[in-house]
Structures are given as structure tokens and as C-alpha cells.
Amino acid sequence: MGTYLERVIPHVFGKRVEKILQFEGGQSNPTYYFMDDKNNQFVLRKKPSGQLLPSAHAVEREYRVIKALAKTDVPVPPVYHLCTDHAVIGTPFYVMKYLQGRILTDIALPQCSPSERTAIYQELISVLARIHNVGLAGVGLADFGPAGNYYERQIGRWTKQYEGSKTKEIPEMDKLIKWLPNNIPTQKETTLVHGDFRLGNVMFHPTEPKIIAVLDWELSTLGHPYSDLSYLCLPYHTPAIATIPGFGNINLEKLGIPVESKIIELYCKLRSLPKISNWNYFIAFSLFRGAGIFQGIAKRAELGNASSANAKAIGAATALYAARGWEKAIQSDPFIQTQELFPFSPKFAPLRKKLLEFMDEHVYPNEETYAKQHNALPTRWAIPPIMEELKIKAKEAGLWNLWLPGVSGLTNLDYAPLCEIMGRSFIAPEIFNCSAPDTGNMEVLHRYGSPEQKEKYLKPLLEGKIRSAFCMTEPEVASSDASNIQTSIVRTDKGYLINGRKWWSSGAGDPRCSIFVLMGKTNPKAPAHLRQSMILVERDTPGVKILRTLSVFGYDDAPHGHSEIVFENVLVPLENMILGEGRGFEIAQGRLGPGRIHHCMRTIGTAERCLELMVRRIHQRRTFGKLIAEHGTIMQDVARSRMEIDQARLLVYRAAHAMDTMGNIVARDQIAMIKAVVPQMALKVIDRAIQAHGGAGVSSDFTLAYAYAGIRTLRLADGPDEVHERTVAQLEYQKQFSKL
Ligand SMILES: Cc1cc2nc3c(=O)[nH]c(=O)nc-3n(C[C@H](O)[C@H](O)[C@H](O)COP(=O)(O)OP(=O)(O)OC[C@H]3O[C@@H](n4cnc5c(N)ncnc54)[C@H](O)[C@@H]3O)c2cc1C
């Protein structure tokens, strides 16, 4: 080798290799220290001998990237030469300068003071951010790996690697292999990634908390930058096993080691990122990849060519990493567990993914835009332009009218989690044409409308061109009992003549609302359940007068609104009658089944969002020496909220499934149950969130007060709790009596 080096790098190398030592650790590419006859010191990295998996141990790539980075602010060792000729030492290798510094292998940094530890971790993040900020084209690395699809490639690669080196069955690995590729977050940028960025792979200045070289670029490529960051953060999620680092239960604050959220915060600051969404996915992947790496080491240990004595013990960590990875996957998407309990259709999963992405990309970021535009409009009863823009986008994305099984091909069960996702944002349901009362009214027209009624009203409603209102409740009578409804509908030669007064007609304030579904009496003398009918009334019909908008705890709900409307000698064509005279109750049943369950699904989404807001807030403020999140009573509030949301959700899914499999009539006890349970549950959750926010919770700076007001009405709208509980009790009596 001496002769060879003398020939290829005469400017730095003398004549002979005087001393050669192998570095400890380095599981993959054996690394050596050597000195020449002039006391020049070098490091050599080579491929391991023996049979290798293809694409692994590419020292040629390492050499290329280190050389390219010499021109950047990323600290790297000077590299001198790459030898691809197997004849020299049996495998390809490269030579770089030996640097004197500190390799700090123990992540707890026992030799350092707390302030040094903080500085060291901050430097680590700063260098990682610099790696990810490298302009690829400028340093000739634009083709260092394929652009995009990083996680697809990585999951494929590590799956193959894992399966190629499998020594035993690990069920969690199989689950991750199935779940990870179907849930990859959209990749927004491609950067250089190191692939093994950790404390032990950088060299610090001998005395200062400053990195002088990033080492071991074997796994570097172009890819998703969060893969490096999440890998670096793995010790926050694992205990120490053999030589694999893990913080376990170490008190990081006391040691001066930044907690994971601080690491992410600093990284985002250095890279001008607003935040990192779905962090748990990235951690799940990193644990999966870690398991894949360990499995490779275990296999090599079996074959006898691993370069570490610890290889066997490290191999045993595979199962633990896989288990933690699966746990993180569940935390990334707790829905995984529910999904295993219910038979969702094959259409469901891809739609859910698409909807989640749409929410992230278009809905949440535009909530503020919507509010700002609304406030800037000359009247509160006009539509912020962003709404129609987002509707077009939702249509294009195929996320339109998902609520209607006949149109979307989804089951009620499929729709439940999708509707929940929409319920997380006050603007979302309308964006997807899935909002009340339109869905209920469309349901009526879809099920019971004549072909002409469908053409004239259902079509534009389904296209999102017009909106509608449902006019049943009346100020003069207790409308919980629909048989009390007094509005008269009289058949004449010219059409039906309508007289009456309605209130709480939601959506009637919307300038696009052009059609009302009205309930009234056609035959006061018929048996109670045959007296009422439903008829279509165009808003502009003479005699229709919108008197005022009712407020909900002071909110006007503009531009939607809940109106009080007088119908004075309103004449509508005979063909506007739906299904036939006296069929109003029958239609109401058909309308309210799906409509009620949709309210419940959305309400679960609202509760989830409020719990999220609560958890975020209590981790930002401190009282009496600790985070609010650390006080026992607050923890109990969070725990109860989680338990109650999950209970209610299961009940909703069960009801949705019952509707799909047994029909709305048989499922009516379950629909009644959820209609009473869900709003009550959500109110408790929101109330706790308000409490944890302190004064801010009841202000308009947060959405909690508005959410509370909105959900409180659901204990009344579509029937008060007591009416649904009455149904549950009556059905319970029937069940019990049938046993006697
Ligand atoms: C924000 C909002 C939006 C609404 N949107 C619409 C809409 O779009 N279209 C529409 O037609 N209506 C709508 N409503 C009206 C709603 O459906 C009614 O308010 C509800 O059905 C109750 O009728 P009521 O107000 O006449 O109360 P009442 O019938 O007077 O009942 C008052 C109370 O009596 C009690 N009660 C009633 N029955 C029983 C019983 N069997 N056992 C024990 N206690 C009982 C309950 O506590 C009930 O809240 C909306 C209401 C609100 C608040």
C-alpha cells in the first residue's frame, strides 16, 4: 500500500506505512489509522471483505461527498485519494487526513458541564442544518441520488435489507413494512442527507464545543432532511442497549442536554421552517431503519464478518426498535388500531390520506385567511373568496360529496373518520360540500325527490353552486315533538299555499342559499304521523320574509346564520311537494339518520382539535415551578378527554357500521345514543381545554369559545338530548320486556 500511496499522493505521503491500527466501533466500513515514515497521519476507510449486500458499503460515494463538501461550511476531513483497484488491498478504499479532536461517543457527555453539553448539542444541530442547507448544484451533488420519493426508496431499501438478513420473525417489522409506505408525508424538499448523523460520527475540537469534521458518510444520499433529524433524535425514544445510545430515563434538563422539542425548535429556526408536522412518522421510520440496520449486523455476526464484538447484542435490539417503531406509528396515527376493528372498504384508506394532506396543505393554513377576508367584507353576509377557491381545489382532488354513498361509493363507516377530519376545522365541511344542513337536504332530495326536483335542486346542490336550509322548528310550539308543527300547507288550484313562522333555519343567511326544505301540516285531521309534509320553497318566492338572524351565545354564525322566517301566503307549484302529502315524518326519519351521525362525526373532530390545543398550551406555560402540563389535575383532564373521545368514537363507528349493515331503522337506537353522547362528551373536552387556557380560553383569540357555543347547540339541534334518550330508553324497555 505504501508504494501505491507514494505514487498517487506524493504531495502528502512519504514512502512507507510505519504504523497501522484499526479503529474500534465502526460496524460497517472498517476504518484504520496509519502513519507514514515522515510522521504524517492518515485515516483509511475500506469496504469490508466477504460477501456484501449490493449497494452497501459504497466508499466511493463517501469519498465523492466529502470532497464536494470541502467547498462548503460543513466541516469535513480533507480527503486525498480514492482507490477502486481491488489489487491494492483487496477492496476499494480512500485516504483522508487524520484529525486530532474529540469523538464523544457517550451521548450523556459525562465529562462535560451542563453548559458545555448544551453547547455541544446546539453545535450538532447547527452542523446538521448546514448539511441540509447545502446548495446541491453548486457543489456538484445534484445527481448524488434520485430527487424525491426518498421515503419510498428508503422503505423499499430497508425492507429488502431486513428481509435479506432476517433471522427470526418480528411481527412489528411486518406491520411497519405495510404501514410506512402508505403513510409517507408529502416530501416538500430534497437535500443532502448524511444517513448516520449522530454524536459519535462527528469530531469536536479538542477543547471547544465546535465540530471540526463530520465523519462516516457511507449512507449519505439525496433525500428527506427529517430522516437525519429524526435519526439523531432516536435516543429520546429508546433506552441504551449495548453500544446503542438511548437517553432512557436520564434527567436531561439537569444535565443541560436539550429536550427533543428544543432540538426541533432550534433546527427549524436554523432552517427557517415554521414547524415539523407528523414528527412521529419520521421517528417511526427511523426506528424501522434502525431495526433494519441492526438486523443486518446480526446477520453479519452470524456469517462471521461483522467488525464489532458487540454485533450480536446490537442485533438483539432489532425487536425493541421494531416495537417502538410500531408504537410511534400508532402515535402518528392512532386510527391504525381502530382500523383493525372495523371493515373499512378498499376505497377508504387512499381517500383518507388524500384528505389529511389536503387539510394540511389547504384547509388549516387558510382558516385565518377565511376569517380575515370575512372581516374585510362590506357585509358579514357575504362569502370570503377563499371558500370558493378551496371548493374548486377539493373538487379537483376528488374530495367532494364524500358523505353520499351513492355518489362517493363509500359506506357510512368509511365516511365517519373522513367526516371527523373535516370536523377539525370550522371551514372544512363546506369546502368538501359536506356541511349541514345541505347534506341532510341533499339526502332528502336524493332519496325522495322526483326526477325534476333532482335536476332543479339536487344537481346544483351537489355541484356546490347553491345552498339550502331546513325549516321545521317554530317559535310558537315545542318543536322537539315534530307533531306540534303548525305551519299550514294548503293545496289550491294554483299550487300549495304556505302560511307559518319558522326559526332556527340554519344557513338561510347565506347569500347562496336559494332553496328551503319546509315541513308543515297538509292534513290536520289525519292520524298524527300523517299530518305533516315536506315541500320545497325557493327563497325568492313572494311572501317569504327573513325577519332576523338569531345569535348563539352572541355569535351570529355569519355568513351562514340561523334565521327566523315568516311564510305569508307563499304559493309554490304542486310539483314541489316531496314524496307526497302526509309523508313528512317518513322523510324526516330518512333525513335525520345520516344527518345526525354526520354531526357526531364532525363533533369528534372538533373535540380532538380542542384537546390538541389544550395539550399545546399547557406545555407552553408554567405555574408554581412546573409546566401546567405537569400538574396532576391537568393530566387527569387530558387523560379523561382522551378516554372519552375514544369511547365516543367507537360508539359512532359502531352506529355507522350498523347503518351500513342493518339499515337506519334498526340502527336508530345507536344513532340516538351517539346523538346524545357525542355533544356531551365534546362539551366536557372543550370545557377542560378552556379551563387550561385560562382567560384566553373564553376569548375570541382562540377557537375554543366558538367551538363550545357551536357544540352546545348540538344538544338541541336535530332534537334535544332528552328526545334521543327517550328513544334509547323505549328500545331498552322493548328489549327487556321481550325477555320476560
Ligand atoms: C344552532 C341551532 C341550529 C338549528 N338549526 C335548525 C335547522 O336548521 N332547522 C330546524 O328546523 N331547526 C333547527 N334548530 C332547532 C332545533 O332542532 C330545536 O331547537 C330542537 O328540536 C328543540 O326544539 P325547541 O327549541 O322547540 O325546544 P322545545 O321543544 O320547546 O323543548 C325544550 C326542552 O324541553 C325538553 N324536552 C323536550 N322533549 C322532552 C322529552 N321527551 N323528555 C324530556 N325533556 C324534553 C328538552 O330539554 C328541550 O330542550 C336549530 C337549533 C339551534 C340551537
Side-chain angles (χ1 to χ4, degrees):
M1 185 175 76
T3 325
Y4 174 80
L5 293 178
E6 185 192 3
R7 179 162 54 84
V8 291
I9 45 171
H11 55 295
V12 287
F13 186 78
K15 283 196 176 314
R16 287 184 311 277
V17 174
E18 285 288 328
K19 190 170 148 192
I20 187 154
L21 296 166
Q22 183 170 4
F23 283 102
E24 277 183 18
Q27 296 295 327
S28 195
N29 286 336
T31 308
Y32 301 85
Y33 161 89
F34 68 93
M35 199 167 74
D36 68 5
D37 51 312
K38 292 182 184 155
N39 291 345
N40 294 315
Q41 302 180 90
F42 302 90
V43 171
L44 177 148
R45 258 165 88 78
K46 71 184 263 299
K47 293 196 186 198
S49 353
Q51 222 186 353
L52 303 176
L53 286 164
S55 85
H57 312 286
V59 292
E60 300 86 347
R61 286 174 59 80
E62 268 186 70
Y63 178 78
R64 179 181 167 194
V65 70
I66 298 173
K67 204 161 178 223
L69 289 175
K71 300 166 218 158
T72 70
D73 60 356
V74 177
V76 280
V79 281
Y80 298 131
H81 180 70
L82 169 72
C83 171
T84 51
D85 183 355
H86 285 245
V88 181
I89 61 164
T91 67
F93 69 93
Y94 68 92
V95 175
M96 57 191 151
K97 185 175 180 176
Y98 173 76
L99 297 176
Q100 295 227 331
R102 290 178 293 164
I103 304 274
L104 304 164
T105 46
D106 188 337
I107 56 167
L109 299 169
Q111 67 279 51
C112 301
S113 67
S115 62
E116 277 171 331
R117 289 190 192 105
T118 310
I120 283 171
Y121 273 93
Q122 284 173 346
E123 170 73 356
L124 202 57
I125 292 303
S126 154
V127 168
L128 184 62
R130 275 182 256 163
I131 294 174
H132 295 160
N133 285 338
V134 165
L136 297 171
V139 295
L141 289 176
D143 62 347
F144 190 58
N149 297 339
Y150 175 75
Y151 274 99
E152 280 92 336
R153 286 185 280 128
Q154 285 287 308
I155 295 161
R157 174 184 171 173
W158 289 107
T159 300
K160 236 179 175 175
Q161 205 122 318
Y162 166 74
E163 275 163 359
S165 52
K166 204 164 166 177
T167 47
K168 60 176 178 167
E169 290 301 325
I170 303 175
E172 289 85 357
M173 277 306 262
D174 298 334
K175 287 182 182 179
L176 283 166
I177 286 168
K178 244 171 99 186
W179 180 81
L180 284 167
N182 291 325
N183 292 280
I184 302 170
T186 313
Q187 186 170 348
K188 301 250 164 49
E189 59 167 352
T190 297
T191 68
L192 176 64
V193 296
H194 179 277
D196 193 9
F197 191 83
R198 57 190 163 88
L199 195 62
N201 270 342
V202 296
M203 183 180 279
F204 275 87
H205 183 276
T207 52
E208 294 167 27
K210 190 172 163 47
I211 294 175
I212 56 170
V214 180
L215 311 169
D216 198 353
W217 291 84
E218 185 201 345
L219 297 171
S220 61
T221 182
L222 298 191
H224 200 305
Y226 301 167
S227 61
D228 274 341
L229 184 66
S230 56
Y231 175 67
L232 182 67
C233 288
L234 278 188
Y236 292 101
H237 301 272
T238 52
I241 311 162
T243 55
I244 306 165
F247 286 131
N249 294 326
I250 297 178
N251 185 338
L252 298 173
E253 224 171 331
K254 208 168 137 198
L255 289 180
I257 296 174
V259 293
E260 190 185 33
S261 58
K262 291 280 166 217
I263 293 274
I264 295 171
E265 207 178 284
L266 177 62
Y267 176 84
C268 287
K269 195 172 145 211
L270 293 168
R271 300 212 55 232
S272 310
L273 301 168
K275 65 171 187 151
I276 295 180
S277 311
N278 204 355
W279 180 240
N280 281 323
Y281 180 91
F282 298 105
I283 293 291
F285 168 77
S286 282
L287 286 159
F288 164 75
R289 196 186 79 142
I293 294 173
F294 301 151
Q295 188 60 56
I297 298 169
K299 183 74 175 178
R300 283 205 303 284
E302 239 181 50
L303 297 173
N305 66 350
S307 58
S308 163
N310 277 319
K312 266 203 170 133
I314 291 170
T318 313
L320 180 93
Y321 269 53
R324 288 274 160 99
W326 184 236
E327 203 174 83
K328 282 287 148 193
I330 292 170
Q331 283 172 11
S332 153
D333 189 0
F335 185 69
I336 293 173
Q337 287 170 313
T338 317
Q339 204 164 358
E340 287 178 357
L341 296 174
F342 292 94
F344 291 95
S345 78
K347 270 191 137 186
F348 164 73
L351 262 179
R352 178 172 177 266
K353 182 167 186 281
K354 206 195 277 185
L355 178 61
L356 286 169
E357 283 172 4
F358 193 96
M359 292 289 291
D360 279 340
E361 195 170 341
H362 301 294
V363 180
Y364 302 127
N366 279 311
E367 286 176 337
E368 214 181 305
T369 315
Y370 180 94
K372 274 191 187 149
Q373 287 185 355
H374 190 226
N375 287 336
L377 289 168
T379 158
R380 291 185 56 70
W381 304 99
I383 309 302
I386 186 74
M387 178 51 74
E388 293 300 326
E389 288 165 29
L390 293 174
K391 278 165 72 175
I392 292 169
K393 286 202 170 96
K395 236 186 236 179
E396 283 167 359
L399 296 168
W400 191 253
N401 287 329
L402 299 177
W403 60 276
L404 190 57
V407 172
S408 64
L410 298 172
T411 60
N412 282 301
L413 176 64
D414 288 337
Y415 183 58
L418 304 179
C419 190
E420 174 186 330
I421 294 166
M422 296 177 202
R424 293 172 52 84
S425 168
F426 71 102
I427 60 167
E430 188 187 335
I431 292 171
F432 304 105
N433 214 36
C434 291
S435 55
D438 287 332
T439 53
N441 292 334
M442 286 190 268
E443 184 89 40
V444 167
L445 289 165
H446 176 71
R447 282 179 186 230
Y448 310 110
S450 66
E452 295 74 31
Q453 289 168 351
K454 284 185 182 168
E455 179 61 28
K456 200 165 174 193
Y457 304 113
L458 179 59
K459 201 166 162 237
L461 276 168
L462 284 171
E463 287 168 354
K465 289 190 175 142
I466 60 166
R467 301 207 64 195
S468 61
F470 182 65
C471 309
M472 184 191 81
T473 305
E474 297 179 357
E476 309 302 340
V477 293
S479 306
S480 314
D481 180 351
S483 66
N484 285 338
I485 298 304
Q486 292 302 317
T487 293
S488 77
I489 306 175
V490 177
R491 190 186 171 111
T492 69
D493 294 344
K494 294 182 192 147
Y496 285 104
L497 196 64
I498 303 168
N499 278 289
R501 181 185 285 247
K502 299 286 182 183
W503 72 346
W504 291 113
S505 298
S506 300
D510 188 317
R512 298 160 302 176
C513 177
S514 54
I515 184 72
F516 298 157
V517 176
L518 175 134
M519 189 160 170
K521 246 182 211 163
T522 33
N523 184 356
K525 292 187 184 126
H529 64 289
L530 295 176
R531 283 178 200 157
Q532 307 286 349
S533 304
M534 281 203 202
I535 194 161
L536 292 160
V537 182
E538 289 188 13
R539 183 165 84 163
D540 293 338
T541 316
V544 174
K545 277 187 218 131
I546 297 189
L547 292 186
R548 61 170 176 147
T549 299
L550 295 144
S551 68
V552 172
F553 293 117
Y555 293 102
D556 61 6
D557 275 353
H560 181 66
H562 312 281
S563 306
E564 181 168 351
I565 309 172
V566 164
F567 295 82
E568 226 170 59
N569 294 324
V570 175
L571 190 67
V572 300
L574 292 175
E575 58 268 24
N576 278 22
M577 178 60 64
I578 307 173
L579 202 60
E581 286 180 28
R583 315 274 305 258
F585 269 46
E586 190 183 334
I587 299 170
Q589 283 314 312
R591 179 186 191 280
L592 291 176
R596 281 176 184 152
I597 197 166
H598 297 167
H599 271 315
C600 296
M601 295 164 180
R602 276 191 291 269
T603 302
I604 294 198
T606 310
E608 279 284 0
R609 185 98 187 261
C610 293
L611 177 59
E612 260 172 46
L613 286 173
M614 172 177 177
V615 171
R616 193 177 314 156
R617 178 80 172 183
I618 59 182
H619 280 88
Q620 287 166 348
R621 293 161 77 94
R622 304 175 75 86
T623 58
F624 303 100
K626 48 183 165 178
L627 280 171
I628 294 178
E630 289 164 351
H631 291 290
T633 52
I634 294 284
M635 289 178 82
Q636 188 178 54
D637 277 355
V638 169
R640 286 185 176 169
S641 298
R642 165 52 55 225
M643 295 186 284
E644 289 162 16
I645 293 175
D646 283 10
Q647 286 170 353
R649 180 187 284 113
L650 286 174
L651 211 55
V652 170
Y653 288 178
R654 192 186 69 158
H657 188 45
M659 286 167 79
D660 290 332
T661 52
M662 301 189 283
N664 300 357
I665 305 286
V666 180
R668 71 186 187 285
D669 61 334
Q670 299 191 30
I671 298 170
M673 275 184 223
I674 57 164
K675 180 61 183 59
V677 164
V678 176
Q680 291 181 39
M681 170 284 292
L683 286 172
K684 277 198 256 171
V685 171
I686 302 169
D687 187 58
R688 292 179 190 128
I690 289 175
Q691 189 69 14
H693 272 69
V698 289
S699 77
S700 298
D701 290 2
F702 291 81
T703 55
L704 296 169
Y706 184 55
Y708 190 91
I711 301 296
R712 181 63 184 83
T713 69
L714 289 186
R715 291 194 56 203
L716 300 162
D718 276 358
D721 292 354
E722 295 88 339
V723 172
H724 302 298
E725 284 158 0
R726 184 171 178 263
T727 304
V728 176
Q730 280 173 337
L731 290 166
E732 187 64 22
Y733 295 160
Q734 287 175 20
K735 265 186 265 167
Q736 300 271 351
F737 286 131
S738 69
K739 281 192 205 155
L740 299 175

